[in-house]
C-alpha cells in the first residue's frame, strides 16, 4: 500500500474508532433515537452533497430502493441504534472492540448462506478463537445490565456481518455506482429512523459539547468515513481496506482510556485480543465483497 493509502487507512480507523467516544459524549443529552436519526440524516446529507457535486444520481427504480431499504435497516438502523443504546451502559472501548467481531459473523453468514462450502482448518480455528473472545467480552459473570448492553453491541456487529453478505449479493450488480448506493442507503435509513423515531423520542436539552459530538458522529464518523472508505477501496483494493477492522478497536480503546479515563480490564484485553486473532485467521473476503464493505463502521 502506498503512503497515501496508509494515511487514508489511518484516517478511516480514527474516524470509525472515534464513533464510540462520540456516542458516549452525546449519550447523556440525547436518547438513542435522537442519536440514530441525527447521525443518519447528517451522514446522508454529506453523501448527497458530494454526489450532487459529482453529478451522480440516486437510483430511480423501485426494486433497488426496496433492497437499499432492507440494507439500511440491517446495516444502519439496527446496529447504529444498538450501539447508541448500549453506549449508555458500557465503556466506549468495549463497544468499539465488540465491533471487531463483525468479520467473524460475516464468515458464519457466508457459510450458512452456502456461498462457501467449507472452511480450512486454520479458518475454523480462527472462528473458534474469535468466538471464544466474544464470550470473554460478553463476560456473563458480570452485572446483568452490562451483559445485556455488551450483547447489544455484539448483535450490532452481527448485523454488520449480515449486511456485508446481503449487500454483496443483491446490490453488487445493480448497475449503480458505490457513492450513489451509499447515499441511497443512508437516505433510506434516515427515512426509516424518522418513521420509528417518534415512538422512542425523549425531550432534549443538549449542551454544545453533546450537540457537536452527535453532529461529528454523522458528518465525520458516518458521511466522511463512507467517502474515505470508498476512496480507499478504489485506490488500494478491498483487501487493503479491510485492515481497518484490526485498527478500529485499537483506536476505540486508546481514545476511551486517554479521553474518558476508561479502565482496560482483563476481559476486554483478553477478549479483544482473541477476537482480533480470530479475525486474522478466519477472515477471507472475496474481491466481490468490495461493495458490501461500505456498510460497516460502527
Amino acid at each position: 500500500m502506498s503512503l497515501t493509502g496508509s494515511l487514508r487507512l489511518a484516517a478511516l480507523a480514527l474516524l470509525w474508532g472515534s464513533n464510540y467516544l462520540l456516542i458516549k459524549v452525546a449519550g447523556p443529552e440525547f436518547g438513542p433515537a435522537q442519536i440514530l436519526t441525527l447521525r443518519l440524516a447528517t451522514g446522508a446529507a454529506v453523501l448527497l452533497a458530494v454526489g450532487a457535486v459529482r453529478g451522480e444520481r440516486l437510483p430511480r427504480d423501485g426494486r433497488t430502493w426496496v433492497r437499499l431499504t432492507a440494507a439500511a435497516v440491517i446495516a444502519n438502523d439496527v446496529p447504529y441504534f444498538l450501539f447508541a443504546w448500549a453506549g449508555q451502559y458500557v465503556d466506549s472501548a468495549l463497544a468499539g472492540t465488540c465491533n471487531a467481531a463483525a468479520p467473524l459473523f460475516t464468515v458464519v453468514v457466508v457459510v450458512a448462506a452456502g456461498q462457501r462450502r467449507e472452511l480450512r482448518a486454520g479458518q475454523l480455528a480462527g472462528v473458534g478463537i474469535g468466538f471464544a473472545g466474544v464470550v470473554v467480552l460478553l463476560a456473563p459473570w458480570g452485572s446483568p445490565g452490562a451483559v445485556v448492553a455488551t450483547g447489544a453491541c455484539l448483535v450490532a456487529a452481527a448485523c454488520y456481518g449480515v449486511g456485508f453478505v446481503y449487500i454483496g449479493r443483491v446490490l453488487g450488480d445493480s448497475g449503480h455506482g458505490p457513492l450513489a448506493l451509499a447515499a441511497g442507503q443512508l437516505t433510506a435509513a434516515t427515512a426509516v429512523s424518522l418513521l420509528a423515531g417518534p415512538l422512542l423520542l425523549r425531550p432534549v436539552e443538549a449542551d454544545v459539547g453533546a450537540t457537536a459530538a452527535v453532529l461529528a458522529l454523522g458528518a465525520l464518523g458516518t458521511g466522511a468515513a463512507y467517502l474515505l472508505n470508498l476512496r480507499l477501496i478504489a485506490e488500494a483494493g478491498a483487501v487493503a481496506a479491510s485492515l481497518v477492522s484490526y485498527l478500529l478497536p485499537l483506536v476505540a480503546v486508546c481514545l476511551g482510556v486517554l479521553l474518558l479515563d476508561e479502565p482496560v480490564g482483563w476481559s476486554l484485553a483478553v477478549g479483544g485480543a482473541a477476537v482480533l486473532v480470530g479475525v486474522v485467521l478466519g477472515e477471507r473476503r472475496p474481491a466481490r465483497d468490495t461493495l458490501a464493505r461500505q456498510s460497516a463502521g460502527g
Side-chain angles (χ1 to χ4, degrees):
M1 187 187 304
S2 66
L3 176 59
T4 301
S6 298
L7 292 175
R8 287 198 177 100
L9 178 66
L12 181 60
L14 180 60
L15 288 175
W16 273 343
S18 64
N19 282 349
Y20 309 95
L21 171 71
L22 295 172
I23 289 172
K24 198 70 176 176
V25 173
E29 306 295 333
F30 292 91
Q34 283 95 343
I35 292 176
L36 170 68
T37 301
L38 288 171
R39 175 183 185 179
L40 289 170
T42 309
V46 170
L47 295 188
L48 290 171
V50 174
V53 170
R54 295 181 180 177
E56 295 198 29
R57 295 181 177 180
L58 291 176
R60 296 186 176 183
D61 57 296
R63 182 181 183 185
T64 299
W65 275 106
V66 169
R67 292 178 171 181
L68 281 174
T69 301
V73 172
I74 296 170
N76 298 114
D77 287 298
V78 173
Y80 287 6
F81 179 82
L82 289 175
F83 275 123
W85 176 83
Q88 303 172 101
Y89 307 103
V90 298
D91 289 343
S92 63
L94 176 59
T97 302
C98 287
N99 190 55
L104 292 175
F105 290 109
T106 302
V107 172
V108 173
V109 173
V110 166
V111 173
Q115 292 183 247
R116 187 183 304 168
R117 294 186 177 181
E118 60 182 17
L119 298 177
R120 300 191 304 270
Q123 290 176 306
L124 284 172
V127 171
I129 293 170
F131 279 107
V134 166
V135 173
V136 175
L137 286 176
L138 188 58
W141 51 84
S143 65
V147 172
V148 172
T150 304
C153 292
L154 292 170
V155 172
C159 287
Y160 288 143
V162 175
F164 288 152
V165 179
Y166 176 79
I167 294 171
R169 292 189 68 175
V170 306
L171 292 171
D173 58 353
S174 67
H176 301 284
L179 176 57
L181 290 175
Q185 185 177 318
L186 284 190
T187 300
T190 302
V192 171
S193 73
L194 289 172
L195 291 174
L199 301 176
L200 302 168
L201 293 179
R202 74 182 193 192
V204 175
E205 294 182 3
D207 59 23
V208 175
T211 302
V214 77
L215 293 178
L217 178 65
L220 300 178
T222 306
Y226 263 65
L227 292 172
L228 188 57
N229 188 39
L230 293 175
R231 182 71 176 271
L232 184 62
I233 290 171
E235 294 188 355
V239 174
S242 71
L243 295 175
V244 74
S245 300
Y246 315 130
L247 299 176
L248 186 157
L250 300 178
V251 172
V253 170
C254 289
L255 291 177
V257 171
L258 294 175
L259 300 182
L260 298 179
D261 199 27
E262 295 177 348
V264 179
W266 74 267
S267 61
L268 176 60
V270 174
V275 167
L276 289 177
V277 170
V279 170
V280 171
L281 294 175
E283 185 190 35
R284 181 175 177 272
R285 293 175 176 172
R288 65 189 180 89
D289 282 348
T290 297
L291 174 63
R293 215 175 304 280
Q294 73 184 19
S295 69

